[in-house]
Amino acid sequence: MSLASSPAPLVAPPGATPRHVAIIMDGNRRWAQARGLPVALGHKAGAEAARRATEAAVEQGVEWLTLFAFSSENWLRPADEITGLMGLLRFYLRSEVAALVRDGVRLRVIGERARFGPELVREMERAEELTANGTRLNLTVAMSYGARAEILAAARAAAAAAAAGRLEPAGLDEAGFAAHLATAGMPDPDLIIRTSGEQRLSNFLLWQAAYAEFVFQDVLWPDFGAGHLADALQQYAQRERRYGARVG
């Protein structure tokens, strides 16, 4: 949905705010290419949009925000783009922590951290430690993340627990399995937003998205702002969530 002709108000209807919003941030490369700019500048603009989305989520009263920043498949991109992304990640991990602490945002990173190397892993851990007392928003950033790999790792962990005698397979339920996922302790997303006009999950939160509502917006991620989030929240407020149950 495009907001070009009718910008949404910056505040969603009261009492209708989803507890957990997840966003597939798509369109950095196309945004840069449309402007004749290097892809690196598209990613930089995308990082600024992530900041705006976080601030808007705090203002809207969202408790949990999960941003899909870098998929496990993104490692296949050109080496110079990967290098630029790692530098950008390092810069924002260092420069944004103070603002996150000030705004009461707790940061958590999920995904295959080891692939980023020890220096960036230390930066992630440092940012998580410094923001650990944030209570206004739980911000989760998915980095080198893929839902199929996450589910496979959880299955292996459950199998290992069963083999060690710590788990009775017949007693394993959905909640017990979810405890092995990277998102353990987090509520499932109520609303998933994807930008750039694409309409697919792209291996994001496949287990957790079972009953999520979806909003697809025809805006490239670097142009995403508070109005786009408010528009998505308004659409969510108009949905009737049934969780598979028949009504009427």
Side-chain angles (χ1 to χ4, degrees):
M1 177 177 181
S2 174
L3 301 183
S5 58
S6 57
L10 298 185
V11 179
T17 303
R19 186 182 183 199
H20 183 179
V21 176
I23 306 179
I24 301 173
M25 307 183 297
D26 192 16
N28 291 351
R29 291 159 62 93
R30 276 173 281 173
W31 184 91
Q33 291 165 356
R35 290 161 176 76
L37 299 172
V39 172
L41 291 183
H43 291 311
K44 184 176 185 298
E48 296 295 326
R51 175 192 290 146
R52 292 195 299 271
T54 301
E55 292 172 349
V58 171
E59 292 300 316
Q60 292 281 6
V62 173
E63 296 179 35
W64 297 79
L65 176 66
T66 299
L67 302 177
F68 195 13
F70 189 85
S71 74
S72 52
E73 292 79 14
N74 286 159
W75 290 107
L76 300 176
R77 291 185 174 182
D80 58 341
E81 183 177 349
I82 298 297
T83 299
L85 277 167
M86 296 306 103
L88 188 63
L89 173 61
R90 184 180 301 106
F91 172 77
Y92 277 97
L93 282 171
R94 293 173 178 174
S95 65
E96 290 298 304
V97 169
L100 295 177
V101 172
R102 180 197 65 212
D103 294 337
V105 177
R106 181 179 182 178
L107 175 67
R108 178 182 184 182
V109 179
I110 62 172
E112 300 173 291
R113 295 191 190 204
R115 296 194 67 174
F116 292 97
E119 180 188 355
L120 269 178
V121 170
R122 285 193 296 270
E123 293 289 349
M124 293 176 190
E125 293 172 345
R126 173 180 173 273
E128 288 177 328
E129 291 170 2
L130 291 175
T131 62
N133 294 324
T135 57
R136 294 187 69 191
L137 176 70
N138 292 280
L139 173 63
T140 303
V141 180
M143 300 288 299
S144 189
Y145 171 87
R148 286 184 172 181
E150 176 193 29
I151 293 170
L152 181 58
R156 286 172 173 162
R166 300 190 305 272
L167 172 68
E168 175 55 48
L172 181 64
D173 57 12
E174 291 184 7
F177 183 79
H180 294 288
L181 295 170
T183 55
M186 296 170 53
D188 287 342
D190 302 294
L191 170 64
I192 295 179
I193 302 168
R194 180 165 187 151
T195 60
S196 85
E198 303 292 345
Q199 299 186 20
R200 55 181 179 271
L201 272 175
S202 295
N203 201 20
F204 180 55
L205 299 181
L206 298 180
W207 173 279
Q208 300 86 341
Y211 290 105
E213 296 292 327
F214 293 84
V215 171
F216 301 104
Q217 295 181 319
D218 190 16
V219 56
L220 298 178
W221 177 248
D223 292 325
F224 189 92
H228 296 93
L229 178 62
D231 174 78
L233 296 186
Q234 285 190 323
Q235 292 188 54
Y236 172 85
Q238 297 167 6
R239 309 279 179 87
E240 181 181 0
R241 304 190 73 197
R242 300 181 182 179
Y243 299 96
R246 294 185 63 183
V247 177

